Amino acid sequence: MPRYADIRRAIEDRIISGDLQPGDRISGEEDLAAEHGVSRMTVNKALSSLAEAGLIVRRRRAGSFVASPKAQETILEIHDIKSEILNAGQRYRHAVVARHSRVATAAERARLSLPLRGRVLALCVQHFADDRPYVIEDRLISIAAVPEAMTVDFSDTPPGTWLLERIPWTDARHTIRAINAPADVAAMLDLARGTACLVIDRVTWRSGAPVTSVRLTYPGDRHELSARFSAGHRSQVPD
């Protein structure tokens, strides 16, 4: 990992953990350069990266400060499926249908922007609300980014919940589309083949490194997307 990324991650971890609060001043470039044994140019690159991610604000002559959270920046948030179902007053359960650790296929490398021979943990999970199929979760986890996932069987805690509780993320991209359910998807969602489904593809990154890619397939007539946002606030996601 480049040295500037190490510095970015160290500061980012302090922000995410709450050790640094909104408005707190970040150490100056000279102090950070001395602390990490690097040049000021390297520190400047790390701070610029944090500013581009919206985690800090850089003010000329004053220094760098932890940014305040921005309301309504993204139309879609990252929700925990288990909490979503429980908060709706429904019973929740899940089942891990498939689990494989392997060298990523070409398609999987494209989904997660992984290098050749990059490894993934591939999971297929059914989520149920009141014993009715709610959503299919097709997830890839980068083993390089989350090696500890290899030791978790996810039978008690679903992977999405586990990741949200333990692995901080900094950037996310959502893609929304509709499909006609193929036979295997239709069977898992208790639908007729060809039924319209809503698909949300999401990739999350931590300091520019891919963490996980998940494809969530919902029955089209049982799910909707809704968000309230104000003029002047635009979604910001990585290309």
Side-chain angles (χ1 to χ4, degrees), residues 86-188:
L86 292 175
N87 289 338
Q90 298 174 291
R91 297 187 310 276
Y92 171 82
R93 69 179 178 88
H94 73 282
V96 179
V97 178
R99 175 195 176 105
H100 305 283
S101 60
R102 58 173 179 253
V103 174
T105 65
E108 291 169 344
R109 291 200 307 273
R111 277 177 62 180
L112 264 177
S113 301
L114 292 176
L116 191 66
R117 307 298 297 174
R119 296 187 62 83
V120 294
L121 177 62
L123 298 157
C124 180
V125 182
Q126 279 181 295
H127 299 266
F128 298 85
D130 287 341
D131 293 324
R132 189 181 189 188
Y134 183 81
V135 63
I136 300 171
E137 173 185 353
D138 170 21
R139 184 179 293 276
L140 300 173
I141 301 175
S142 168
I143 294 176
V146 195
E148 55 268 43
M150 293 292 293
T151 63
V152 183
D153 66 10
F154 299 111
S155 59
D156 295 325
T157 303
T161 303
W162 184 87
L163 286 165
L164 283 172
E165 290 175 349
R166 292 167 178 81
I167 309 300
W169 58 275
T170 55
D171 304 286
R173 180 181 65 213
H174 288 92
T175 303
I176 306 167
R177 56 194 173 91
I179 65 168
N180 294 321
D184 57 339
V185 170
M188 293 179 69

Side-chain angles (χ1 to χ4, degrees), residues 76-91:
L76 284 177
E77 298 177 357
I78 295 183
H79 293 287
D80 175 25
I81 295 172
K82 179 179 179 180
S83 296
E84 186 177 295
I85 293 172
L86 292 175
N87 289 338
Q90 298 174 291
R91 297 187 310 276

